[in-house]
Amino acid sequence: MNAGMFPSTGSAPCDSNMSRLKFCANISWLYTELPDLTQRICAAASDGFKAVEAAWPYDTKIEHIQRARNDNGVKVVLINTPPGDMKAGDLGLAAVPGREAEFRQGLQLALKYANALDCKRIHLMAGRVPVGSDRAEVASEMESTFVQNLQYAADVLMKEGVTGLIEPINTRITDPRYFLDSPHHAAAVIEKVGKPNIKLQMDVFHWQIMDGNLTQNLKKYFPLIGHIQIAQVPGRNEPDSAGELKYQYLFSLLESMGYTEYIGCEYKPLGSTSESLGWFRDYMTASK
């Protein structure tokens, strides 16, 4: 781990007109040395996080998460819709033709958790190209299904004051069959949906692998972005581990652009989670 990612003098890494970034711990990726979400919430709070996000909290009772959230004074800022039948190869249902009823059921479950936890962001997972199907041949039908499901979800979520997010996942390394795989495709879908509470979830790891050009893509799609997640490339480890990305630059860029939403720490720590947070402690110290 590289020490001193940010100045250790106590001076801010940006001028007073720039926004101080807010980070949340993704407790589906961090603190996995602990067996359940409630323990991970406690650990995240102990390490200085004021907020957490989780992919699928549905195996944990709502009241247990509420208690852990309240006891530790942290917010829950993002959850995903249920993935479907993962054993059968599902990873989201929003773009999968013929699964509309299941998508709506999953949306209701996600909204139940979100409302109980005062969580204002739900990632509406697109899903995978069906096994045995050619991506090009099914793309039009899947996109039509995706747009219709997102329009439905937007109306449901709007009544609850919740924002729906769609996230491109890279098909080069992580998931070759995932339907939504680039920021350009996601932006086109959002335009077709035409709902103000459907936003873009920018996972820097996926964007770098699929397209690179992070600075220009960030500037181009900034008005659509409702959430950001980070990890180093290519290992998907902590931001200050060895890799392609210089997060000090990216953080300064986001500050200068006035980004005020949360940045989710969705990475695989090389050691323990707490040991991987040197970059976070540096940033919080330098930003005081």
Side-chain angles (χ1 to χ4, degrees):
M1 182 167 59
N2 299 329
M5 184 178 180
F6 296 96
S8 58
T9 61
S11 59
C14 54
D15 65 47
S16 59
N17 294 321
M18 292 184 180
S19 300
R20 185 169 179 249
L21 302 178
K22 302 182 299 184
F23 297 92
C24 61
N26 187 308
I27 53 176
S28 298
W29 287 74
L30 303 185
Y31 305 103
T32 57
E33 52 267 53
L34 300 172
D36 65 67
L37 294 185
T38 58
Q39 291 174 309
R40 296 175 193 179
I41 289 172
C42 180
S46 295
D47 279 332
F49 285 104
K50 304 298 184 184
V52 299
E53 62 183 39
W56 304 301
Y58 308 111
D59 288 336
T60 305
K61 291 182 178 180
I62 290 176
E63 56 268 29
H64 293 172
I65 302 175
Q66 285 178 317
R67 188 179 305 117
R69 178 202 61 177
N70 294 339
D71 288 349
N72 291 282
V74 301
K75 297 180 179 179
V76 179
V77 298
L78 172 70
I79 60 175
N80 295 354
T81 49
D85 187 348
M86 295 185 73
K87 292 182 179 178
D90 291 338
L91 192 66
L93 300 172
V96 184
R99 308 287 294 277
E100 290 86 351
E102 292 171 80
F103 168 74
R104 293 185 179 195
Q105 290 172 358
L107 177 65
Q108 289 301 323
L109 178 60
L111 192 54
K112 178 181 178 181
Y113 270 74
N115 282 338
L117 299 171
D118 197 27
C119 174
K120 299 302 182 182
R121 297 282 190 277
I122 297 177
H123 171 203
L124 307 165
M125 299 198 72
R128 292 169 168 155
V129 174
V131 174
S133 298
D134 179 84
R135 178 182 289 270
E137 291 180 357
V138 300
S140 178
E141 183 184 11
M142 291 191 71
E143 182 161 313
S144 178
T145 300
F146 198 23
V147 169
Q148 291 174 22
N149 277 333
L150 291 175
Q151 289 172 334
Y152 170 84
D155 291 340
V156 171
L157 298 179
M158 181 75 74
K159 296 174 183 177
E160 306 295 336
V162 175
T163 296
L165 301 168
I166 61 172
E167 177 191 10
I169 294 176
N170 84 81
T171 51
R172 290 179 172 159
I173 297 175
T174 301
D175 198 322
R177 291 194 295 113
Y178 202 76
F179 174 66
L180 189 70
D181 66 354
S182 78
H184 318 297
H185 188 194
V189 168
I190 289 173
E191 183 176 3
K192 289 183 179 181
V193 172
K195 301 286 187 177
N197 64 326
I198 299 297
K199 294 286 189 177
L200 180 56
Q201 183 167 311
M202 177 191 185
D203 189 313
V204 176
F205 174 79
H206 296 306
W207 284 33
Q208 170 68 3
I209 290 170
M210 287 303 295
D211 201 65
N213 199 29
L214 287 175
T215 299
Q216 296 306 317
N217 281 337
L218 180 57
K219 290 179 178 179
K220 181 177 181 179
Y221 297 119
F222 189 75
L224 300 179
I225 293 173
H227 191 73
I228 292 175
Q229 293 173 325
I230 57 172
Q232 186 56 272
V233 179
R236 209 168 187 176
N237 306 121
E238 47 262 45
D240 60 345
S241 60
E244 300 173 13
L245 301 179
K246 184 179 180 181
Y247 270 97
Q248 184 175 357
Y249 166 80
L250 289 174
F251 291 163
S252 294
L253 177 62
L254 289 169
E255 290 168 342
S256 70
M257 295 177 73
Y259 181 74
T260 58
E261 304 297 343
Y262 279 94
I263 297 175
C265 304
E266 187 180 273
Y267 63 80
K268 298 178 293 186
L270 288 170
S272 74
T273 298
S274 293
E275 290 171 346
S276 79
L277 293 172
W279 66 272
F280 174 67
R281 289 186 283 269
D282 285 349
Y283 182 87
M284 300 307 292
T285 299
S287 298
K288 289 180 179 179

mmCIF file with all atom_site columns, all heavy atoms in Angstrom, residues 129-138 177:
data_model
loop_
_atom_site.group_PDB
_atom_site.id
_atom_site.type_symbol
_atom_site.label_atom_id
_atom_site.label_alt_id
_atom_site.label_comp_id
_atom_site.label_asym_id
_atom_site.label_entity_id
_atom_site.label_seq_id
_atom_site.pdbx_PDB_ins_code
_atom_site.Cartn_x
_atom_site.Cartn_y
_atom_site.Cartn_z
_atom_site.occupancy
_atom_site.B_iso_or_equiv
_atom_site.pdbx_formal_charge
_atom_site.auth_seq_id
_atom_site.auth_comp_id
_atom_site.auth_asym_id
_atom_site.auth_atom_id
_atom_site.pdbx_PDB_model_num
ATOM 1  N N   . VAL A 1 129 ? -27.404 -11.334 -20.637 1.00 0.00 ? 129 VAL A N   1
ATOM 2  C CA  . VAL A 1 129 ? -27.897 -11.922 -21.884 1.00 0.00 ? 129 VAL A CA  1
ATOM 3  C C   . VAL A 1 129 ? -28.129 -13.405 -21.627 1.00 0.00 ? 129 VAL A C   1
ATOM 4  O O   . VAL A 1 129 ? -27.243 -14.081 -21.100 1.00 0.00 ? 129 VAL A O   1
ATOM 5  C CB  . VAL A 1 129 ? -26.875 -11.717 -23.019 1.00 0.00 ? 129 VAL A CB  1
ATOM 6  C CG1 . VAL A 1 129 ? -27.312 -12.456 -24.278 1.00 0.00 ? 129 VAL A CG1 1
ATOM 7  C CG2 . VAL A 1 129 ? -26.664 -10.231 -23.295 1.00 0.00 ? 129 VAL A CG2 1
ATOM 8  N N   . PRO A 1 130 ? -29.303 -13.933 -21.944 1.00 0.00 ? 130 PRO A N   1
ATOM 9  C CA  . PRO A 1 130 ? -29.583 -15.347 -21.657 1.00 0.00 ? 130 PRO A CA  1
ATOM 10 C C   . PRO A 1 130 ? -28.554 -16.291 -22.282 1.00 0.00 ? 130 PRO A C   1
ATOM 11 O O   . PRO A 1 130 ? -28.046 -16.039 -23.384 1.00 0.00 ? 130 PRO A O   1
ATOM 12 C CB  . PRO A 1 130 ? -30.966 -15.560 -22.281 1.00 0.00 ? 130 PRO A CB  1
ATOM 13 C CG  . PRO A 1 130 ? -31.596 -14.206 -22.250 1.00 0.00 ? 130 PRO A CG  1
ATOM 14 C CD  . PRO A 1 130 ? -30.485 -13.244 -22.506 1.00 0.00 ? 130 PRO A CD  1
ATOM 15 N N   . VAL A 1 131 ? -28.255 -17.361 -21.569 1.00 0.00 ? 131 VAL A N   1
ATOM 16 C CA  . VAL A 1 131 ? -27.307 -18.366 -22.061 1.00 0.00 ? 131 VAL A CA  1
ATOM 17 C C   . VAL A 1 131 ? -27.796 -18.922 -23.400 1.00 0.00 ? 131 VAL A C   1
ATOM 18 O O   . VAL A 1 131 ? -28.977 -19.234 -23.560 1.00 0.00 ? 131 VAL A O   1
ATOM 19 C CB  . VAL A 1 131 ? -27.154 -19.515 -21.038 1.00 0.00 ? 131 VAL A CB  1
ATOM 20 C CG1 . VAL A 1 131 ? -26.280 -20.625 -21.607 1.00 0.00 ? 131 VAL A CG1 1
ATOM 21 C CG2 . VAL A 1 131 ? -26.558 -18.991 -19.736 1.00 0.00 ? 131 VAL A CG2 1
ATOM 22 N N   . GLY A 1 132 ? -26.883 -19.001 -24.353 1.00 0.00 ? 132 GLY A N   1
ATOM 23 C CA  . GLY A 1 132 ? -27.230 -19.531 -25.667 1.00 0.00 ? 132 GLY A CA  1
ATOM 24 C C   . GLY A 1 132 ? -27.748 -18.495 -26.636 1.00 0.00 ? 132 GLY A C   1
ATOM 25 O O   . GLY A 1 132 ? -27.955 -18.798 -27.820 1.00 0.00 ? 132 GLY A O   1
ATOM 26 N N   . SER A 1 133 ? -27.956 -17.257 -26.150 1.00 0.00 ? 133 SER A N   1
ATOM 27 C CA  . SER A 1 133 ? -28.444 -16.187 -27.021 1.00 0.00 ? 133 SER A CA  1
ATOM 28 C C   . SER A 1 133 ? -27.272 -15.368 -27.549 1.00 0.00 ? 133 SER A C   1
ATOM 29 O O   . SER A 1 133 ? -26.267 -15.176 -26.861 1.00 0.00 ? 133 SER A O   1
ATOM 30 C CB  . SER A 1 133 ? -29.393 -15.267 -26.261 1.00 0.00 ? 133 SER A CB  1
ATOM 31 O OG  . SER A 1 133 ? -30.538 -15.960 -25.816 1.00 0.00 ? 133 SER A OG  1
ATOM 32 N N   . ASP A 1 134 ? -27.411 -14.873 -28.755 1.00 0.00 ? 134 ASP A N   1
ATOM 33 C CA  . ASP A 1 134 ? -26.431 -13.968 -29.329 1.00 0.00 ? 134 ASP A CA  1
ATOM 34 C C   . ASP A 1 134 ? -26.772 -12.546 -28.895 1.00 0.00 ? 134 ASP A C   1
ATOM 35 O O   . ASP A 1 134 ? -27.901 -12.085 -29.068 1.00 0.00 ? 134 ASP A O   1
ATOM 36 C CB  . ASP A 1 134 ? -26.444 -14.080 -30.856 1.00 0.00 ? 134 ASP A CB  1
ATOM 37 C CG  . ASP A 1 134 ? -25.450 -13.143 -31.506 1.00 0.00 ? 134 ASP A CG  1
ATOM 38 O OD1 . ASP A 1 134 ? -24.262 -13.504 -31.603 1.00 0.00 ? 134 ASP A OD1 1
ATOM 39 O OD2 . ASP A 1 134 ? -25.867 -12.037 -31.918 1.00 0.00 ? 134 ASP A OD2 1
ATOM 40 N N   . ARG A 1 135 ? -25.795 -11.846 -28.323 1.00 0.00 ? 135 ARG A N   1
ATOM 41 C CA  . ARG A 1 135 ? -26.040 -10.502 -27.789 1.00 0.00 ? 135 ARG A CA  1
ATOM 42 C C   . ARG A 1 135 ? -26.665 -9.585  -28.842 1.00 0.00 ? 135 ARG A C   1
ATOM 43 O O   . ARG A 1 135 ? -27.635 -8.868  -28.564 1.00 0.00 ? 135 ARG A O   1
ATOM 44 C CB  . ARG A 1 135 ? -24.727 -9.901  -27.272 1.00 0.00 ? 135 ARG A CB  1
ATOM 45 C CG  . ARG A 1 135 ? -24.869 -8.485  -26.730 1.00 0.00 ? 135 ARG A CG  1
ATOM 46 C CD  . ARG A 1 135 ? -23.523 -7.936  -26.283 1.00 0.00 ? 135 ARG A CD  1
ATOM 47 N NE  . ARG A 1 135 ? -23.058 -8.598  -25.084 1.00 0.00 ? 135 ARG A NE  1
ATOM 48 C CZ  . ARG A 1 135 ? -23.328 -8.197  -23.828 1.00 0.00 ? 135 ARG A CZ  1
ATOM 49 N NH1 . ARG A 1 135 ? -24.090 -7.124  -23.635 1.00 0.00 ? 135 ARG A NH1 1
ATOM 50 N NH2 . ARG A 1 135 ? -22.858 -8.851  -22.792 1.00 0.00 ? 135 ARG A NH2 1
ATOM 51 N N   . ALA A 1 136 ? -26.121 -9.584  -30.036 1.00 0.00 ? 136 ALA A N   1
ATOM 52 C CA  . ALA A 1 136 ? -26.624 -8.689  -31.083 1.00 0.00 ? 136 ALA A CA  1
ATOM 53 C C   . ALA A 1 136 ? -28.067 -9.001  -31.450 1.00 0.00 ? 136 ALA A C   1
ATOM 54 O O   . ALA A 1 136 ? -28.864 -8.098  -31.736 1.00 0.00 ? 136 ALA A O   1
ATOM 55 C CB  . ALA A 1 136 ? -25.730 -8.772  -32.313 1.00 0.00 ? 136 ALA A CB  1
ATOM 56 N N   . GLU A 1 137 ? -28.420 -10.286 -31.431 1.00 0.00 ? 137 GLU A N   1
ATOM 57 C CA  . GLU A 1 137 ? -29.768 -10.678 -31.842 1.00 0.00 ? 137 GLU A CA  1
ATOM 58 C C   . GLU A 1 137 ? -30.826 -10.326 -30.803 1.00 0.00 ? 137 GLU A C   1
ATOM 59 O O   . GLU A 1 137 ? -31.983 -10.071 -31.157 1.00 0.00 ? 137 GLU A O   1
ATOM 60 C CB  . GLU A 1 137 ? -29.800 -12.178 -32.131 1.00 0.00 ? 137 GLU A CB  1
ATOM 61 C CG  . GLU A 1 137 ? -29.010 -12.584 -33.377 1.00 0.00 ? 137 GLU A CG  1
ATOM 62 C CD  . GLU A 1 137 ? -29.063 -14.074 -33.640 1.00 0.00 ? 137 GLU A CD  1
ATOM 63 O OE1 . GLU A 1 137 ? -29.668 -14.791 -32.811 1.00 0.00 ? 137 GLU A OE1 1
ATOM 64 O OE2 . GLU A 1 137 ? -28.489 -14.516 -34.647 1.00 0.00 ? 137 GLU A OE2 1
ATOM 65 N N   . VAL A 1 138 ? -30.447 -10.321 -29.534 1.00 0.00 ? 138 VAL A N   1
ATOM 66 C CA  . VAL A 1 138 ? -31.435 -10.052 -28.472 1.00 0.00 ? 138 VAL A CA  1
ATOM 67 C C   . VAL A 1 138 ? -31.340 -8.637  -27.927 1.00 0.00 ? 138 VAL A C   1
ATOM 68 O O   . VAL A 1 138 ? -32.141 -8.258  -27.071 1.00 0.00 ? 138 VAL A O   1
ATOM 69 C CB  . VAL A 1 138 ? -31.286 -11.063 -27.315 1.00 0.00 ? 138 VAL A CB  1
ATOM 70 C CG1 . VAL A 1 138 ? -31.495 -12.484 -27.811 1.00 0.00 ? 138 VAL A CG1 1
ATOM 71 C CG2 . VAL A 1 138 ? -29.932 -10.916 -26.613 1.00 0.00 ? 138 VAL A CG2 1
ATOM 72 N N   . ARG A 1 177 ? -21.482 -11.665 -19.994 1.00 0.00 ? 177 ARG A N   1
ATOM 73 C CA  . ARG A 1 177 ? -22.859 -11.681 -20.477 1.00 0.00 ? 177 ARG A CA  1
ATOM 74 C C   . ARG A 1 177 ? -23.717 -10.557 -19.908 1.00 0.00 ? 177 ARG A C   1
ATOM 75 O O   . ARG A 1 177 ? -24.912 -10.490 -20.217 1.00 0.00 ? 177 ARG A O   1
ATOM 76 C CB  . ARG A 1 177 ? -23.512 -13.043 -20.177 1.00 0.00 ? 177 ARG A CB  1
ATOM 77 C CG  . ARG A 1 177 ? -22.949 -14.195 -20.992 1.00 0.00 ? 177 ARG A CG  1
ATOM 78 C CD  . ARG A 1 177 ? -23.840 -15.444 -20.921 1.00 0.00 ? 177 ARG A CD  1
ATOM 79 N NE  . ARG A 1 177 ? -23.897 -16.009 -19.597 1.00 0.00 ? 177 ARG A NE  1
ATOM 80 C CZ  . ARG A 1 177 ? -24.978 -16.030 -18.820 1.00 0.00 ? 177 ARG A CZ  1
ATOM 81 N NH1 . ARG A 1 177 ? -26.111 -15.484 -19.233 1.00 0.00 ? 177 ARG A NH1 1
ATOM 82 N NH2 . ARG A 1 177 ? -24.930 -16.585 -17.621 1.00 0.00 ? 177 ARG A NH2 1
#
